[in-house]
Amino acid sequence: MSRGLILGIETSCDETAAAIVERGAHTLSSAVASQIATHARYGGVVPELASREHLRAIVPVVRAALAEAGVTLADLDAIAVTSGPGLAGALLVGITYAKALAFANNLPLIAVNHLEGHIHAVLLNERESAPFASTKMPGAPSFPQSAPADAESVGQHEPGPNSNTAQSQSLALVVSGGHTHLYLARPAHGTWSYTLIGRTVDDAAGEAFDKVAKLLGLGYPGGPWIDALAKYGNPHAVPFSFAQIKPKVHLGGKPPRTKAAKTAPIARLDTHFLFSFSGIKTAVLRYVELHGLRAEAKARVSRVLANFRPPQTREEALTLCSQATLDLIASFQHAVIGDLMKKTFAAAESFGATRILVTGGVAANRELRERFTAEAQRRGVRIAFPTLALSTDNAAMIAAAAWPRFVAQEFAPADLTAEPSLALGSVQSKSSQNGE
Ligand code: KG4
Ligand code: ZN
């Protein structure tokens, strides 16, 4: 009998990952080959190098995932692969390999949006901690024995575009190196439906962590460094502020600055749920110049490259950074997280979401988890994060997101190709929200 085994493959950025997940609910293996060492000396991902590294790693990583799970290709029921968004060349490595493997083994191929994968990282954790459900999804083929645990609400009243009172609606904040997006997520017709309600208009939050870390002479990726150092600084030392994003800046005919922003429906979104992180990066740069912290940052680069690991104690942190730099780092992190919180909780309230899911690389941040959890408790809202391993890029989340599609028999076309700017779901425009 079929075990409902899906091999997930993820190569959208700088991690080559493969995983075997059973029925979208039980991770048998999750292998990740990180390219951090390759990109660290450049302070960011170099797309050509990323593609080359994926080519090198894809076969051993898939083999490792199969071996760790104790299964062979013959045991699989489907192969799932990230089709976008991401780096074109990097995505193509995973897609081409997945296609070939699926064709050679006569397996269906399922295309997964990377952002949907991040949302399913949280859902996978929830399913793993719940016993296998035995309910069958409406209209599902007979062989899958268990539906995703969250299928409980499939078939419930589907809210219309103007509804703010959906029973099973979750608000998902996907906060990573490439994205800071707010989605409403709800089970719909056996799979999931998503509505974009907010996003960054320029840099992603993780990008801001990485850029600030780079200008301070810290390691790559910057998030874990800033996370580790922030606890030794005063988060109120530097009063960063996030000005309200003015509609005129983005609606008044000015072209958006980043490539991602150009393809985004920013003008249609409610400005209360738009983020902007490029300003705080510039503010940090200005602070560094004005307070004489530049030389210290320059001196740090070679020591950080030699060491390659964030400090673990205050003493270690102080050998690397002055107290003024630690205060700057703590204040930066505090401000970014405060802004993420403010807009996420406002959106959850506005749309009547019954729970909040926070996912993506930045969701690994300690202060973010603590403050979001405390605020959720204060407001009486449910909140969930993925485990640390599932917060950053991995393939278990891709295999998990593919399961409802497998049940619904939604397979990828033979001409599946990379979609670097692939969007997720529909867009909640201001007019439909206001009932206009
Ligand atoms: O989800 P992810 O692995 O890849 C993308 O889809 O972008 O996220 C990577 C991002 C990087 O910007 C990294 O600096 C950030 O997540 N990150 C963190 C932490 N760990 C990773 N940011 C803040 N605190 C962390 N602990
Ligand atoms: Zn990601």
Side-chain angles (χ1 to χ4, degrees):
M1 196 187 78
S2 158
R3 290 175 63 188
L5 295 184
I6 297 186
L7 163 66
I9 295 179
E10 153 65 39
T11 62
S12 68
C13 190
D14 59 347
E15 256 104 25
T16 317
I20 311 286
V21 177
E22 189 173 0
R23 298 181 193 285
H26 181 44
T27 308
L28 301 186
S29 66
S30 181
V32 181
S34 169
Q35 303 178 3
I36 286 178
T38 305
H39 302 290
R41 79 191 76 153
Y42 305 101
V45 178
V46 182
E48 291 77 9
L49 295 184
S51 307
R52 194 188 68 189
E53 292 302 308
H54 285 309
L55 273 172
R56 277 196 188 145
I58 187 87
V59 174
V61 165
V62 168
R63 280 191 186 145
L66 290 165
E68 192 191 323
V71 300
T72 67
L73 288 167
D75 298 317
L76 299 179
D77 293 289
I79 295 178
V81 66
T82 307
S83 59
L87 301 169
L91 286 164
L92 267 178
V93 176
I95 292 172
T96 312
Y97 186 70
K99 267 185 178 179
L101 214 52
F103 182 74
N105 293 279
N106 201 20
L107 290 168
L109 182 67
I110 301 166
V112 175
N113 183 306
H114 182 79
L115 299 171
E116 182 176 21
H118 274 303
I119 294 172
H120 277 262
V122 192
L123 302 175
L124 172 60
N125 283 151
E126 286 184 347
R127 291 176 207 139
E128 301 220 76
S129 46
F132 268 23
S134 58
T135 40
K136 214 179 113 216
M137 293 177 89
S142 56
F143 69 94
Q145 294 296 296
S146 74
D150 25 67
E152 77 213 2
S153 41
V154 170
Q156 280 184 353
H157 166 67
E158 264 290 294
N162 299 336
S163 170
N164 284 348
T165 55
Q167 282 294 303
S168 56
Q169 190 155 266
S170 299
L171 180 83
L173 169 66
V174 183
V175 62
S176 68
H179 297 90
T180 303
H181 283 43
L182 281 170
Y183 291 98
L184 291 173
R186 49 184 171 255
H189 314 301
T191 56
W192 280 75
S193 81
Y194 307 94
T195 309
L196 178 72
I197 59 163
R199 56 158 293 157
T200 179
V201 299
D202 42 53
D203 292 351
E207 202 175 346
F209 272 86
D210 295 340
K211 286 178 176 172
V212 162
K214 189 175 180 184
L215 77 89
L216 289 175
L218 300 170
Y220 177 83
W225 283 82
I226 290 188
D227 189 353
L229 290 166
K231 64 175 179 229
Y232 304 115
N234 173 4
H236 306 291
V238 186
F240 290 116
S241 73
F242 283 87
Q244 180 64 44
I245 299 178
K246 302 281 188 304
K248 63 179 162 54
V249 175
H250 302 287
L251 306 183
K254 261 194 170 182
R257 278 183 304 200
T258 64
K259 200 174 157 205
K262 272 184 210 149
T263 58
I266 288 167
R268 287 162 58 195
L269 296 169
D270 186 329
T271 51
H272 292 101
F273 310 132
L274 295 180
F275 300 93
S276 168
F277 294 109
S278 70
I280 193 165
K281 171 200 68 193
T282 314
V284 171
L285 180 62
R286 207 172 310 124
Y287 190 93
V288 166
E289 302 294 352
L290 286 175
H291 292 79
L293 302 176
R294 162 68 75 205
E296 178 194 328
K298 272 195 174 154
R300 212 161 18 236
V301 178
S302 49
R303 294 183 56 204
V304 162
L305 272 177
N307 206 349
F308 218 72
R309 171 185 72 89
Q312 307 295 307
T313 63
R314 175 179 288 277
E315 290 65 41
E316 243 191 291
L318 280 169
T319 60
L320 203 67
C321 303
S322 65
Q323 191 59 51
T325 295
L326 293 174
D327 290 347
L328 175 62
I329 289 169
S331 302
F332 161 78
Q333 179 171 285
H334 191 80
V336 171
I337 292 167
D339 190 61
L340 289 170
M341 270 176 58
K342 196 175 93 188
K343 289 166 186 167
T344 303
F345 282 98
E349 195 177 320
S350 170
F351 288 91
T354 52
R355 64 171 174 177
I356 295 175
L357 314 175
V358 189
T359 185
V362 182
N365 187 277
R366 203 174 341 207
E367 183 183 332
L368 180 146
R369 286 179 180 236
E370 282 168 11
R371 289 177 65 195
F372 267 78
T373 304
E375 184 64 14
Q377 273 166 3
R378 199 181 69 74
R379 290 173 179 249
V381 186
R382 284 196 294 152
I383 192 158
F385 306 89
T387 57
L388 290 185
L390 286 189
S391 295
T392 48
D393 288 350
N394 65 88
M397 68 185 196
I398 302 302
W403 173 247
R405 294 196 192 292
F406 177 71
V407 174
Q409 307 271 290
E410 276 181 30
F411 301 133
D415 61 353
L416 177 74
T417 190
E419 288 194 63
S421 306
L422 184 64
L424 177 64
S426 57
V427 178
Q428 174 82 36
S429 63
K430 280 176 290 193
S431 54
S432 65
Q433 192 190 332
N434 299 333
E436 287 160 16

